[in-house]
Amino acid sequence: MSPHQRRTALAILALALGGFAIGTTEFVTMGLLPQIAEGTGVDIATAGHYVSAYALGVVVGAPLIAVLAAKVARKGLLMALMGFFAAAHLLVVLADTYGQVMLVRFLGGIPHGAFFGIGALVAASLVSHERRTAAIAAILGGLGVANVVGVPLATLIGQRYGWHAPYVVVGVIGLVTIGAIGVWLPKLPVARQATMRGELRALRRPQVWLALLIGTVGFGGMFAMYSYITPTMTELAGLDEALIAWVLMAYGIGMVTGMVLAGRVARWGVMAGIIASLAAIAVLLALFGPAAHILWLAVVMVFLLGLLPSIVVPLLQTRLMDVAHEGQSLAATLNHSTLNTANALGAWLGSVVLAAGWGYGAPSLVGAGLAVLGVAIAVLSARLDRRDGGIRPSPHPVDAVTPLSA
């Protein structure tokens, strides 16, 4: 490995470490939902609101930060975002009531979308054009590793030392990430063409909205089921609650596998990959309810539920880079905002059908319907591409930084 390639790898590793912290906090709530519900005196359906609160923080924070910080140096911005993230998680030790937990989870979500969105742009700027999706997938790979290592360990820590403990650990990892970014990420110039007005102009483009809608609707289906993965596996599959960490690990292994495959799938066509993956998610969710009664089959399907969406996310991020033109930062962060809108939507719809008494097999059926709708939107977007003669490259492709590796 050449010195340039080593510098690139370390820079992306620093950003992936932040992704690891974010992925751990985003998904550990699902693994500890019964404990958090008991600790705050609410039922399981109401505790699902904690998932939604974090997601809403992402939805609100991502576009605001992208627009207001359009001219801020990327390296300093990423460090500041992770500093806010760490502080919000350390505050969890003071939260014991429903309202307090809702607040700290909302605050913890605010930097999420901006960190991943800006981080994706930075990662893409460090490599050649052909390797954009692979670099983005590497950043998002922190989410996958979090689900293989971080979430299972955090779940075990929470079961043994109390549900507050994992969030404190995440806060400490956030502090380590600040140091890693400071040391390993090169100093990046402010994009000269970036302005608040230019960022907002991306919202005039129909294809930007369609890409965001694909994420909101298509991923809402996955979160409708996964938000309640712990009670689903214990009630339908008969899994001992002490073993739920291993199921979460299977999900994480699927995520890592999907991130590895995303760059290869992108070579076959970004939109084709999105459509095929969403269609497979729809089929998977439609079958999950009946299959969940067979433990080994349920675990396999949880693995696939980690794999397929993890292929779609980098593809959607690349798609937004292709269609956003001068609004790269806003579009990149909005991708994560809309994915967490999907998180909130899915968790809420899941709570609705559970509160109605339809059982733990119902959320996955709701999810299948949402995934089918996501496929329809993606097909519409692809047809508009063909009608307009294809997507033309952005006149302002990411921030102008000389690639550190070819």
Side-chain angles (χ1 to χ4, degrees):
M1 181 181 291
S2 70
H4 286 300
Q5 290 173 325
R6 188 177 300 109
R7 286 165 52 200
T8 300
L10 289 174
I12 291 176
L13 178 61
L15 297 173
L17 181 61
F20 175 82
I22 291 172
T24 300
T25 193
E26 183 176 19
F27 292 102
V28 75
T29 303
M30 288 79 155
L32 290 174
L33 207 58
Q35 289 82 1
I36 300 173
E38 181 180 356
T40 54
V42 299
D43 58 27
I44 291 289
T46 303
H49 299 168
Y50 299 143
V51 177
S52 298
Y54 181 89
L56 290 173
V58 182
V59 172
V60 172
L64 286 178
I65 294 170
V67 172
L68 296 177
K71 299 294 290 185
V72 176
R74 299 295 188 228
K75 182 174 180 177
L77 177 59
L78 289 168
M79 293 175 70
L81 290 171
M82 192 48 59
F84 187 96
F85 174 87
H89 280 75
L90 294 175
L91 282 174
V92 171
V93 296
L94 304 176
D96 287 304
T97 67
Y98 173 79
Q100 291 170 345
V101 176
M102 288 289 286
L103 176 61
V104 295
R105 293 305 291 152
F106 174 80
L107 292 175
I110 287 176
H112 174 130
F115 183 87
F116 272 125
I118 301 302
L121 292 176
V122 169
S125 74
L126 297 176
V127 299
S128 62
H129 182 82
E130 294 75 17
R131 295 184 59 202
R132 293 178 306 157
T133 302
I136 293 167
I139 300 297
L140 296 172
L143 290 173
V145 176
N147 279 272
V148 176
V149 180
V151 174
L153 285 178
T155 300
L156 293 173
I157 290 170
Q159 291 172 342
R160 181 165 183 176
Y161 298 106
W163 66 267
H164 294 86
Y167 297 109
V168 175
V169 172
V170 167
V172 173
I173 296 172
L175 296 176
V176 174
T177 301
I178 297 171
I181 292 173
V183 173
W184 291 338
L185 195 68
K187 186 176 180 179
L188 304 168
V190 177
R192 291 185 296 273
Q193 76 279 2
T195 64
M196 291 177 62
R197 181 177 297 179
E199 294 293 339
L200 290 171
R201 272 199 292 269
L203 300 181
R204 298 179 183 177
R205 302 181 181 279
Q207 287 287 19
V208 170
W209 285 105
L210 286 173
L212 296 174
L213 193 57
I214 291 168
T216 301
V217 176
F219 277 78
M222 187 270 288
F223 284 113
M225 190 284 288
Y226 192 70
S227 296
Y228 303 95
I229 187 63
T230 296
T232 298
M233 293 299 295
T234 56
E235 294 292 327
L236 297 187
L239 183 72
D240 189 317
E241 188 175 287
L243 300 177
I244 193 65
W246 296 100
V247 175
L248 300 179
M249 185 179 294
Y251 180 85
I253 293 171
M255 287 188 69
V256 173
T257 305
M259 294 296 177
V260 171
L261 294 175
R264 299 177 183 178
V265 173
R267 298 173 189 170
W268 302 338
V270 171
M271 287 306 299
I274 290 172
I275 292 169
S277 299
L278 284 176
I281 291 170
V283 173
L284 183 68
L285 289 172
L287 298 175
F288 184 82
H293 292 276
I294 305 171
L295 180 56
W296 71 267
L297 186 55
V299 173
V300 170
M301 297 189 82
V302 168
F303 166 81
L304 294 174
L305 194 66
L307 185 150
L308 293 170
S310 299
I311 293 174
V312 179
V313 175
L315 295 176
L316 275 175
Q317 194 81 67
T318 304
R319 171 69 174 178
L320 282 165
M321 287 182 181
D322 290 336
V323 300
H325 292 260
E326 67 269 36
Q328 297 264 314
S329 295
L330 179 59
T333 56
L334 278 176
N335 186 37
H336 297 276
S337 182
T338 54
L339 292 178
N340 279 269
T341 300
N343 192 338
L345 174 67
W348 176 72
L349 288 175
S351 72
V352 169
V353 296
L354 289 175
W358 293 1
Y360 286 108
S364 62
L365 293 178
V366 174
L370 289 174
V372 168
L373 184 55
V375 171
I377 297 168
V379 169
L380 172 62
S381 180
R383 287 183 175 178
L384 290 177
D385 271 0
R386 289 195 293 270
R387 186 198 69 181
D388 297 336
I391 292 296
R392 292 177 294 276
S394 168
H396 302 296
V398 193
D399 293 344
V401 179
T402 301
L404 293 181
S405 64

